[in-house]
mmCIF file of all heavy atoms in Angstrom:
data_model
loop_
_atom_site.group_PDB
_atom_site.id
_atom_site.type_symbol
_atom_site.label_atom_id
_atom_site.label_comp_id
_atom_site.label_asym_id
_atom_site.label_seq_id
_atom_site.Cartn_x
_atom_site.Cartn_y
_atom_site.Cartn_z
ATOM 1 N N ILE E 388 14.745 -4.405 28.702
ATOM 2 C CA ILE E 388 14.785 -4.135 27.269
ATOM 3 C C ILE E 388 13.600 -4.816 26.579
ATOM 4 O O ILE E 388 13.128 -5.870 27.008
ATOM 5 C CB ILE E 388 16.110 -4.612 26.631
ATOM 6 C CG1 ILE E 388 16.246 -6.137 26.730
ATOM 7 C CG2 ILE E 388 17.295 -3.918 27.292
ATOM 8 C CD1 ILE E 388 17.451 -6.688 25.977
ATOM 9 N N GLY E 389 13.128 -4.192 25.509
ATOM 10 C CA GLY E 389 11.997 -4.732 24.752
ATOM 11 C C GLY E 389 12.406 -5.007 23.315
ATOM 12 O O GLY E 389 12.614 -4.066 22.539
ATOM 13 N N PRO E 390 12.544 -6.283 22.923
ATOM 14 C CA PRO E 390 12.964 -6.601 21.553
ATOM 15 C C PRO E 390 11.793 -6.622 20.568
ATOM 16 O O PRO E 390 10.674 -7.025 20.890
ATOM 17 C CB PRO E 390 13.566 -8.000 21.708
ATOM 18 C CG PRO E 390 12.841 -8.607 22.864
ATOM 19 C CD PRO E 390 12.477 -7.470 23.776
ATOM 20 N N LEU E 391 12.087 -6.169 19.356
ATOM 21 C CA LEU E 391 11.209 -6.280 18.194
ATOM 22 C C LEU E 391 12.027 -6.891 17.071
ATOM 23 O O LEU E 391 13.255 -6.776 17.071
ATOM 24 C CB LEU E 391 10.670 -4.911 17.771
ATOM 25 C CG LEU E 391 9.826 -4.151 18.801
ATOM 26 C CD1 LEU E 391 9.677 -2.685 18.379
ATOM 27 C CD2 LEU E 391 8.460 -4.790 18.952
ATOM 28 N N VAL E 392 11.371 -7.500 16.117
ATOM 29 C CA VAL E 392 12.094 -8.116 15.008
ATOM 30 C C VAL E 392 11.632 -7.493 13.694
ATOM 31 O O VAL E 392 10.465 -7.605 13.319
ATOM 32 C CB VAL E 392 11.899 -9.642 14.981
ATOM 33 C CG1 VAL E 392 12.702 -10.255 13.820
ATOM 34 C CG2 VAL E 392 12.335 -10.271 16.299
ATOM 35 N N CYS E 393 12.542 -6.780 13.043
ATOM 36 C CA CYS E 393 12.405 -6.268 11.681
ATOM 37 C C CYS E 393 11.122 -5.473 11.471
ATOM 38 O O CYS E 393 10.958 -4.375 11.976
ATOM 39 C CB CYS E 393 12.518 -7.429 10.685
ATOM 40 S SG CYS E 393 12.822 -6.883 8.983
ATOM 41 N N PHE E 394 10.201 -6.040 10.707
ATOM 42 C CA PHE E 394 8.933 -5.439 10.302
ATOM 43 C C PHE E 394 8.167 -4.835 11.474
ATOM 44 O O PHE E 394 7.423 -3.866 11.310
ATOM 45 C CB PHE E 394 8.138 -6.569 9.639
ATOM 46 C CG PHE E 394 6.781 -6.243 9.118
ATOM 47 C CD1 PHE E 394 6.593 -5.267 8.161
ATOM 48 C CD2 PHE E 394 5.677 -6.971 9.536
ATOM 49 C CE1 PHE E 394 5.334 -5.010 7.647
ATOM 50 C CE2 PHE E 394 4.414 -6.729 9.032
ATOM 51 C CZ PHE E 394 4.248 -5.740 8.081
ATOM 52 N N GLU E 395 8.364 -5.389 12.663
ATOM 53 C CA GLU E 395 7.585 -4.954 13.816
ATOM 54 C C GLU E 395 7.911 -3.538 14.258
ATOM 55 O O GLU E 395 7.094 -2.903 14.939
ATOM 56 C CB GLU E 395 7.789 -5.933 14.974
ATOM 57 C CG GLU E 395 7.244 -7.326 14.680
ATOM 58 C CD GLU E 395 7.497 -8.318 15.791
ATOM 59 O OE1 GLU E 395 8.540 -8.192 16.472
ATOM 60 O OE2 GLU E 395 6.675 -9.229 15.973
ATOM 61 N N SER E 396 9.068 -3.012 13.878
ATOM 62 C CA SER E 396 9.402 -1.643 14.260
ATOM 63 C C SER E 396 8.546 -0.621 13.524
ATOM 64 O O SER E 396 8.550 0.561 13.867
ATOM 65 C CB SER E 396 10.883 -1.361 13.998
ATOM 66 O OG SER E 396 11.162 -1.349 12.610
ATOM 67 N N ALA E 397 7.778 -1.061 12.527
ATOM 68 C CA ALA E 397 6.882 -0.156 11.809
ATOM 69 C C ALA E 397 5.575 0.074 12.550
ATOM 70 O O ALA E 397 4.846 1.010 12.237
ATOM 71 C CB ALA E 397 6.586 -0.706 10.406
ATOM 72 N N PHE E 398 5.264 -0.780 13.542
ATOM 73 C CA PHE E 398 3.983 -0.722 14.231
ATOM 74 C C PHE E 398 4.096 0.090 15.519
ATOM 75 O O PHE E 398 4.728 -0.353 16.481
ATOM 76 C CB PHE E 398 3.501 -2.138 14.565
ATOM 77 C CG PHE E 398 3.131 -2.957 13.373
ATOM 78 C CD1 PHE E 398 4.096 -3.682 12.689
ATOM 79 C CD2 PHE E 398 1.822 -3.006 12.926
ATOM 80 C CE1 PHE E 398 3.763 -4.445 11.583
ATOM 81 C CE2 PHE E 398 1.478 -3.769 11.816
ATOM 82 C CZ PHE E 398 2.448 -4.491 11.143
ATOM 83 N N PRO E 399 3.463 1.276 15.579
ATOM 84 C CA PRO E 399 3.563 2.091 16.789
ATOM 85 C C PRO E 399 3.024 1.398 18.035
ATOM 86 O O PRO E 399 3.546 1.597 19.131
ATOM 87 C CB PRO E 399 2.719 3.330 16.451
ATOM 88 C CG PRO E 399 2.664 3.374 14.960
ATOM 89 C CD PRO E 399 2.704 1.946 14.510
ATOM 90 N N ASP E 400 1.978 0.579 17.879
ATOM 91 C CA ASP E 400 1.362 -0.022 19.059
ATOM 92 C C ASP E 400 2.269 -1.029 19.743
ATOM 93 O O ASP E 400 2.187 -1.226 20.955
ATOM 94 C CB ASP E 400 0.040 -0.684 18.679
ATOM 95 C CG ASP E 400 0.228 -1.880 17.756
ATOM 96 O OD1 ASP E 400 0.753 -1.689 16.651
ATOM 97 O OD2 ASP E 400 -0.155 -3.002 18.139
ATOM 98 N N MET E 401 3.184 -1.670 19.000
ATOM 99 C CA MET E 401 4.041 -2.686 19.605
ATOM 100 C C MET E 401 5.078 -2.052 20.520
ATOM 101 O O MET E 401 5.301 -2.519 21.641
ATOM 102 C CB MET E 401 4.713 -3.524 18.519
ATOM 103 C CG MET E 401 3.743 -4.363 17.696
ATOM 104 S SD MET E 401 4.547 -5.661 16.751
ATOM 105 C CE MET E 401 4.981 -6.822 18.061
ATOM 106 N N SER E 402 5.719 -0.984 20.063
ATOM 107 C CA SER E 402 6.704 -0.321 20.924
ATOM 108 C C SER E 402 6.016 0.358 22.106
ATOM 109 O O SER E 402 6.562 0.389 23.225
ATOM 110 C CB SER E 402 7.515 0.689 20.115
ATOM 111 O OG SER E 402 6.670 1.598 19.443
ATOM 112 N N ARG E 403 4.808 0.870 21.889
ATOM 113 C CA ARG E 403 4.066 1.481 23.001
ATOM 114 C C ARG E 403 3.742 0.438 24.065
ATOM 115 O O ARG E 403 3.887 0.691 25.269
ATOM 116 C CB ARG E 403 2.773 2.120 22.487
ATOM 117 C CG ARG E 403 1.891 2.678 23.589
ATOM 118 C CD ARG E 403 0.670 3.389 23.032
ATOM 119 N NE ARG E 403 -0.163 3.869 24.118
ATOM 120 C CZ ARG E 403 -1.286 3.278 24.534
ATOM 121 N NH1 ARG E 403 -1.716 2.176 23.929
ATOM 122 N NH2 ARG E 403 -1.974 3.795 25.532
#
Side-chain angles (χ1 to χ4, degrees):
I388 64 173
L391 299 165
V392 181
C393 196
F394 180 59
E395 295 177 328
S396 68
F398 292 86
D400 66 299
M401 294 196 73
S402 54
R403 175 176 178 258

